[in-house]
Amino acid sequence: MQVNISKKTVIILVAAFLATGLVTTLVGVFQEDKESEEQVDKKGTSDGHFRQRDQDREEGASDEEKKPFSVEKPLENDPYEELQSLIGLESVKEEVRTLANFAKVQKMRADKGLKNPNMSYHLVFTGSPGTGKTTVARIVARIYKDLGILKKGHLVETDRSGMIGQYVGQTAPKVNAMCDSALNGVLFIDEAYALTQHSGSQDYGDEAVATLLKRMEDDRDKLVVIVAGYTDEMKHFIDSNPGLQSRFNRYINFPDYTPEELYKIFRMYMNKNEYTITKEAATYLQETLEYVVEHKDRNFGNARYVRNVFEKAIQCQANRISKEKNLTEEQLTELTLADIKKAFGR
């Protein structure tokens, strides 16, 4: 049977065939480009990678290349409840609650279109080692997030070693890297006074402070800085630079723990780790902590000291019972007078 196809029909069929091939080719090219871009982004060698890193810095994400420093992500539990649950530190708790209440009211006033005085959220924590400054800094970061002051509420902890370089041109990039990591959160600088304690002719502490102050101004709406250290040293540090004086005007002092509070902290470690203690061991522990506090020097570690005593005590217990067989739960959990004495080195 002969089929008659007009010239016009042939032209239409050929055009349709060519169009179909062109679309298929374009789709394939698009898919290849997309896969290639994804692969390159994963390898970290394309412009897309650097765009992503810029976005991470904007959001305050951590970058492994910027260490040494630590990033503490905000926990989910209520920061106000955690603040209240801390042992001792009653004056600190009151200061933080006052700060939070003031910030909350200022936000309400702003929502109503009322004027507010300029408020600095940067803080100076003063006190001896082991008095809870880092713990409270984490809580403050989460409170700031809860109040809408910060978007993320994470905490980046560093010190002089994370801020100052050894050679010309290293310090400013290190400070900027720290600030990038802390954006929308809190940058916590422990022993901050060490930044301006010059260790020689080639010291870059002043450059670190100048760079930090610039970032605090440039990112004033998304970066909070908390500096911490011994009371006298921190006063000299803030007084050393007018820029520091203008930006840090709120101080919170952390008192040393009393013997009773240190004993409660030891019991807290025991409860967390499922240990018990004999009556005579508990009495000896209390008496020894009283003696230690009475004879302490300015380097006394407070809660850090108690944690070390606890860790030594459970190691002494392990040495004492490790060779015994068929241990009971009581034997595995109980700290005795001998364990506590050895933990204190007696």
Side-chain angles (χ1 to χ4, degrees):
M1 181 177 61
Q2 186 176 2
V3 179
N4 295 323
I5 301 176
S6 67
K7 184 176 180 181
K8 182 178 180 180
T9 302
V10 171
I11 293 173
I12 293 173
L13 290 173
V14 171
F17 174 80
L18 292 174
T20 301
L22 179 60
V23 170
T24 302
T25 301
L26 289 174
V27 170
V29 170
F30 173 79
Q31 289 176 338
E32 288 178 1
D33 286 346
K34 183 177 180 182
E35 291 173 359
S36 176
E37 182 178 351
E38 291 175 349
Q39 290 173 355
V40 173
D41 279 346
K42 289 179 181 178
K43 293 178 181 178
T45 55
S46 74
D47 289 340
H49 170 71
F50 293 105
R51 287 196 299 272
Q52 182 62 46
R53 286 184 58 177
D54 289 341
Q55 181 181 356
D56 287 344
R57 291 193 180 99
E58 178 69 18
E59 295 176 354
S62 64
D63 188 339
E64 292 297 326
E65 296 176 2
K66 301 173 193 171
K67 302 218 170 177
F69 65 94
S70 65
V71 180
E72 298 286 343
K73 295 182 179 179
L75 303 177
E76 297 300 325
N77 51 316
D78 189 323
Y80 304 96
E81 290 181 0
E82 185 173 345
L83 177 69
Q84 189 57 37
S85 69
L86 295 177
I87 295 172
L89 302 178
E90 296 307 321
S91 60
V92 174
K93 295 175 186 177
E94 184 61 29
E95 288 277 2
V96 174
R97 282 193 293 264
T98 298
L99 173 64
N101 290 336
F102 183 75
K104 183 178 180 180
V105 171
Q106 297 311 301
K107 187 175 185 302
M108 291 178 180
R109 287 174 55 87
D111 292 342
K112 297 290 185 181
L114 299 172
K115 292 182 179 179
N116 282 325
N118 291 329
M119 179 178 176
S120 172
Y121 295 105
H122 309 299
L123 298 170
V124 181
F125 286 177
T126 62
S128 302
T131 49
K133 296 187 289 293
T134 305
T135 298
V136 173
R138 294 190 189 106
I139 294 174
V140 167
R142 288 156 51 204
I143 289 176
Y144 281 170
K145 179 187 177 184
D146 180 70
L147 295 173
I149 297 170
L150 298 172
K151 290 182 180 179
K152 297 188 68 174
H154 64 298
L155 181 115
V156 175
E157 181 182 0
T158 190
D159 56 17
R160 176 186 168 93
S161 65
M163 304 279 286
I164 296 181
Q166 295 180 341
Y167 306 102
V168 175
Q170 290 183 335
T171 296
K174 291 186 76 170
V175 175
N176 283 322
M178 290 296 161
C179 293
D180 288 340
S181 299
L183 285 178
N184 297 308
V186 169
L187 177 62
F188 178 77
I189 307 174
D190 196 16
E191 298 181 347
Y193 54 83
L195 293 176
T196 54
Q197 290 180 338
H198 300 296
S199 59
S201 59
Q202 294 271 318
D203 191 274
Y204 307 105
D206 292 338
E207 180 185 357
V209 171
T211 306
L212 176 65
L213 290 173
K214 184 177 187 304
R215 289 301 302 268
M216 291 171 68
E217 177 61 26
D218 294 345
D219 299 308
R220 57 185 176 275
D221 296 329
K222 53 187 176 182
L223 176 65
V224 170
V225 178
I226 299 177
V227 291
Y230 287 110
T231 302
D232 291 340
E233 282 84 344
M234 289 305 298
K235 184 179 185 306
H236 293 316
F237 169 66
I238 299 299
D239 290 344
S240 70
N241 187 304
L244 293 172
Q245 292 175 354
S246 65
R247 288 168 177 81
F248 292 100
N249 52 31
R250 185 181 293 272
Y251 290 68
I252 298 180
N253 182 61
F254 286 68
D256 285 357
Y257 288 108
T258 66
E260 294 77 14
E261 291 166 346
L262 293 176
Y263 178 71
K264 289 180 180 179
I265 292 172
F266 189 96
R267 300 291 302 225
M268 178 193 70
Y269 285 127
M270 285 176 44
N271 293 335
K272 273 185 172 182
N273 295 278
E274 297 185 322
Y275 281 90
T276 62
I277 189 169
T278 64
K279 185 176 181 180
E280 59 180 355
T283 300
Y284 181 84
L285 174 64
Q286 289 175 298
E287 292 174 350
T288 306
L289 287 174
E290 289 176 1
Y291 176 85
V292 168
V293 169
E294 185 179 351
H295 295 85
K296 69 185 178 183
D297 59 21
R298 75 190 301 266
N299 297 317
F300 178 62
N302 286 280
R304 194 176 304 161
Y305 173 83
V306 170
R307 184 184 65 206
N308 290 337
V309 171
F310 170 75
E311 291 175 352
K312 289 177 181 177
I314 62 176
Q315 290 171 20
C316 293
Q317 184 237 31
N319 286 333
R320 176 173 54 82
I321 67 175
S322 60
K323 295 180 181 180
E324 299 184 23
K325 297 180 180 180
N326 301 319
L327 291 167
T328 64
E329 182 175 317
E330 180 180 357
Q331 290 174 307
L332 289 167
T333 59
E334 187 177 70
L335 298 177
T336 66
L337 177 59
D339 300 328
I340 300 300
K341 279 187 174 183
K342 287 184 179 179
F344 280 111
R346 300 182 179 183

